[in-house]
Amino acid sequence: MNLLEQTRFLLRITRTHDIMRRYFVVNGFDGALTMLGLIMGFLVSGATSLSVIINVCLGAAIALGVSGVSSAYVSEAAERKRALGKLENAMITDMSNSAHGEAARGVPLLVALVNGFSPLAISLLILLPLITANAGFALPIQPLKAAVTIALLLIFLLGVFLGSIAGVSWLRSGIQTLLIAILTAALIYLFASF
Amino acid sequence: MVLVKRLVLDVLKPHQPNALEFSQAIAKAGGGYRVCITVLEVDEKTETLQVIVEGDAIDFCAVQSSINGLGGSLHSIDEVEVQGEPQSG
C-alpha cells in the first residue's frame, strides 16, 4: 500500500474524512474573515505603507496557522486516544501495533496540518495582490481592493463547497457565506468611521 | 512437508475496516488465497467473523499477522485441512 492509499485507509477506518473537511472549512473561513477584517481596517484607516500591511496580515496568518495546527493536534490526539482505548476495551486486547493504533498516532497530525494549512493558504491567497504590488508589479486595481475582492471570492467559494457537500443549492450557500463577509466588512466600515 | 489447504478461523474485529477490506487484506497475505468471510455477530464496537481461507500452501503466521494488523483478534482455529506431500522413493 502506498502512502496515499495508507492515509486514505487510516482516515476511513477512523472515519475522520468529515472532521478534516469541517476543520478545513471552519478554519479557512476564519482565515478569510480575519484577513478581510484586517484589510478593511487598513482600507478605512487611510494611507499605510504596503509593507506594514503585509507584515501585519502575514503575522496574523502565521498565528492562525500555528494556532490551527497546535489546537487541532492536542484535541484530536486526545480524541483518538480515547477512541482507541474504548476499542481496546471492546476487543480486550492491545491494539497499538494495529492499523487502529497507527491511525491514533498519525491521524491527529494529518488533521492538525489541514487545520493549520487551511487558514494559512487562504490568507496567503488573499495577500497575493499586496505581495505582488509590493514586489513592484503594477495591478489594474488598488492592491487593497484586489485583496478584498479575492477574500470575498474565496468566502463565496467556501460557501459553494459547503453547498455541494450538503447537496443543497451551491449558489444559495455561496451567497449566504458571501453575505456574512459583506456584513463583517460593513460592520468594520461602520465602527471605523466613527 | 505438510501443506495447509484450508483454515476456518473465529475472529473478532472492530467494525472498521469492513469485511470486504478485511478479506482482501487476508488474501494478500499469500499467493492464490481464497477467502470467505461470514459475519456471525455484530456488537456495538465489534463483530465476530468466521473466516475461511483456502489455498495451496497457506502461511498461517502471515494470515494471523494480517488479521492482527487490521485490529482483529484470532479467537480460535475451528477447522483445519492439511495435506502431506507423497514420500519419494
Side-chain angles (χ1 to χ4, degrees):
Chain A
M1 221 186 278
N2 64 36
L3 189 64
L4 189 65
E5 280 178 0
Q6 177 73 359
T7 306
R8 278 185 181 159
F9 174 71
L10 295 181
L11 289 175
R12 199 165 53 243
I13 64 167
T14 48
R15 297 182 171 176
T16 32
H17 280 110
D18 295 357
I19 296 171
M20 277 180 61
R21 196 164 51 202
R22 199 156 47 233
Y23 274 142
F24 174 80
V25 174
V26 168
N27 247 21
F29 199 75
D30 269 0
L33 270 191
T34 305
M35 286 305 118
L36 181 69
L38 281 170
I39 292 165
M40 279 303 296
F42 283 116
L43 206 60
V44 294
S45 303
T48 314
S49 150
L50 213 51
S51 60
V52 171
I53 300 174
I54 292 169
N55 285 339
V56 169
C57 291
L58 262 182
I62 290 167
L64 278 169
V66 173
S67 156
V69 170
S70 52
S71 64
Y73 184 77
V74 170
S75 62
E76 203 54 35
E79 287 292 337
R80 289 294 118 217
K81 202 172 172 182
R82 184 168 176 263
L84 184 68
K86 279 185 169 182
L87 199 56
E88 282 180 333
N89 283 342
M91 294 287 300
I92 324 169
T93 184
D94 174 29
M95 297 180 74
S96 53
N97 290 326
S98 72
H100 295 81
E102 197 182 330
R105 292 185 293 273
V107 166
L109 192 65
L110 205 63
V111 171
L113 287 175
V114 168
N115 200 41
F117 174 79
S118 163
L120 186 64
I122 286 180
S123 299
L124 289 177
L125 281 174
I126 294 168
L127 295 181
L128 209 57
L130 308 183
I131 296 166
T132 311
N134 198 43
F137 294 99
L139 295 176
I141 56 170
Q142 197 192 338
L144 284 176
K145 285 180 181 163
V148 170
T149 310
I150 291 179
L152 293 175
L153 178 71
L154 288 175
I155 289 168
F156 174 75
L157 289 176
L158 280 173
V160 169
F161 180 56
L162 284 177
S164 67
I165 291 166
V168 296
S169 161
W170 61 267
L171 186 63
R172 187 185 163 155
S173 177
I175 289 172
Q176 269 178 349
T177 51
L178 187 60
L179 282 176
I180 295 167
I182 290 170
L183 180 71
T184 310
L187 280 173
I188 294 164
Y189 188 78
L190 194 72
F191 280 102
S193 301
F194 281 116
Chain B
M1 189 180 175
V2 178
L3 301 173
V4 181
K5 299 285 183 184
R6 186 170 188 267
L7 288 169
V8 179
L9 310 170
D10 179 29
V11 172
L12 183 73
K13 78 162 191 68
H15 292 310
Q16 294 295 329
N18 63 28
L20 180 63
E21 284 177 304
F22 208 75
S23 59
Q24 286 171 333
I26 294 171
K28 281 181 193 166
Y33 286 3
R34 217 167 81 88
V35 180
C36 175
I37 286 185
T38 309
V39 180
L40 300 175
E41 198 180 320
V42 178
D43 288 324
E44 192 193 342
K45 291 195 173 294
T46 59
E47 46 198 57
T48 305
L49 312 175
Q50 183 190 56
V51 180
I52 302 172
V53 187
E54 291 174 334
D56 292 331
I58 299 169
D59 179 352
F60 175 72
C61 289
V63 170
Q64 189 175 22
S65 160
S66 182
I67 290 169
N68 293 339
L70 294 174
S73 172
L74 178 62
H75 278 188
S76 60
I77 302 170
D78 294 343
E79 261 183 64
V80 179
E81 188 184 318
V82 297
Q83 187 182 358
E85 278 185 325
Q87 287 179 333
S88 54

